[in-house]
Amino acid sequence: PRIPDGPLLRLNRGGKELELIVPRGGVGEVWTSVSNGWAKMELPSPPTATPLPWAGGLFVAGEDGRAYLVDPSTGRSEAEPLVPEFDRDRMGRWLEPAPLDADSLILADDAGRIRRLTVQDEPARRITVQAETTLEQRIIAAPACTASAVVVVTNAGDVRSLAARDLSPIGAWTLAAPLLDVPRAVDGRVAVFDASGGVSLIDRDGRRAWSVSIGTPVVGTPLVRGEILWLLDRSGRARGLALADGREVASIDLGSQPVGGLIALGADVLAPSGRGTVQPLNLDQSGEAKP
């Protein structure tokens, strides 16, 4: 059987785990695993970002400007959708939603609006806005969340940290070079990379822990092992930075350039080092080592 190219999602629904494939390109459908293979379901609107398993359903930020919670088995809405008030001067496009905790998520648009959403069950099930704010600049990348804060980057080159509870400002920092990729949530913290090789770590409380330069741009998502933040750079090295101060404490030469970030599989760590190729890494080594 042929299935579309797209991310594989897993959703726990009524004690049963469903596997979902969301085709790339915003085609307005989701493929759901069934007993005899895969079934294609139509969504209420083509998504502007990858749908997110949430609140027992699939959260879809639609091209029509609405946000839906759908039953992935049928594609039907499970709650009254979010319908933002129309503002001709602030027309934006949804960015990737960011999970905050079991009950709420952060949804932002590129016009500068940020909302914390939850699902209200009474009197009728619907998506509600618990907190909302609008920045004076546009947002250029999807937000990421620490344990208690939301981190976004604006077109002015500023990293903005907001309290997750009410979206009030915590702090702001200017990047030394243009943003590289998107802010990355990792172990209750957020890492932000710039094109010059700069790495900033936002702590759990939403304040900047440190900012360093490794001299080479980072590739993909980092991960935390013990008290070390591990990341891959474009030169083909895995670098270990101390969570406390950003000091480099370990380095591993991959022998090839990575094509994506580190992949954690339980206690194992893999590095994608070519098309269809991954290699295991032993991050318990210290100093200079080979994979």
Side-chain angles (χ1 to χ4, degrees):
R2 298 183 63 86
I3 57 175
D5 172 38
L8 177 69
L9 308 178
R10 288 186 171 88
L11 185 154
N12 191 293
R13 185 175 174 84
K16 180 182 178 183
E17 185 178 81
L18 296 179
E19 290 186 332
L20 313 171
I21 295 176
V22 181
R24 300 188 193 279
V27 297
E29 62 190 36
V30 61
W31 290 58
T32 305
S33 59
V34 293
S35 57
N36 59 346
W38 294 87
K40 182 174 68 173
M41 305 297 173
E42 298 294 327
L43 297 174
S45 170
T48 64
T50 303
L52 180 72
W54 181 58
L58 192 65
F59 180 79
V60 178
E63 278 188 352
D64 60 3
R66 301 184 176 193
Y68 301 88
L69 184 66
V70 303
D71 179 348
S73 300
T74 64
R76 297 175 182 171
S77 291
E78 286 207 318
E80 183 180 334
L82 172 69
V83 184
E85 184 178 343
F86 178 76
D87 185 348
R88 186 180 299 275
D89 297 326
R90 281 277 182 173
M91 296 179 64
R93 182 179 176 86
W94 297 126
L95 300 169
E96 296 274 348
L100 181 61
D101 53 41
D103 300 317
S104 55
L105 61 78
I106 299 297
L107 183 63
D109 63 38
D110 58 7
R113 286 195 188 89
I114 307 171
R115 297 176 173 91
R116 180 167 65 88
L117 306 181
T118 189
V119 174
Q120 177 181 305
D121 291 321
E122 300 294 340
R125 201 161 196 242
R126 63 190 180 97
I127 300 173
T128 61
V129 178
Q130 294 292 300
E132 181 175 350
T133 191
T134 301
L135 305 182
E136 61 273 19
Q137 293 102 12
R138 298 183 70 86
I139 299 173
I140 60 173
C145 298
T146 74
S148 60
V150 181
V151 178
V152 298
V153 180
T154 70
N155 60 353
D158 294 331
V159 180
R160 306 281 291 271
S161 177
L162 311 170
R165 180 176 174 273
D166 59 3
L167 299 180
S168 59
I170 295 176
W173 307 274
T174 301
L175 294 173
L179 175 70
L180 183 69
D181 203 0
V182 296
R184 299 286 186 173
V186 52
D187 193 42
R189 305 169 177 88
V190 169
V192 182
F193 310 123
D194 70 39
S196 69
V199 180
S200 296
L201 186 70
I202 313 301
D203 223 334
R204 298 175 188 273
D205 61 1
R207 304 189 183 279
R208 184 172 63 170
W210 44 260
S211 183
V212 300
S213 177
I214 63 172
T216 306
V218 173
V219 177
T221 301
L223 60 85
V224 170
R225 281 292 186 271
E227 294 300 315
I228 299 177
L229 175 73
W230 284 94
L231 44 83
L232 299 180
D233 68 25
R234 289 183 181 174
S235 70
R237 301 192 74 82
R239 295 172 181 262
L241 308 183
L243 283 176
D245 55 14
R247 177 173 48 91
E248 185 168 322
V249 294
S251 177
I252 300 174
D253 183 5
L254 300 182
S256 61
Q257 290 188 338
V259 295
L262 292 167
I263 303 168
L265 293 174
D268 298 323
V269 177
L270 303 176
S273 54
R275 184 174 178 84
T277 305
V278 295
Q279 60 185 107
L281 296 181
N282 180 6
L283 300 186
D284 294 329
Q285 308 174 98
S286 60
E288 198 66 34
K290 289 286 185 181

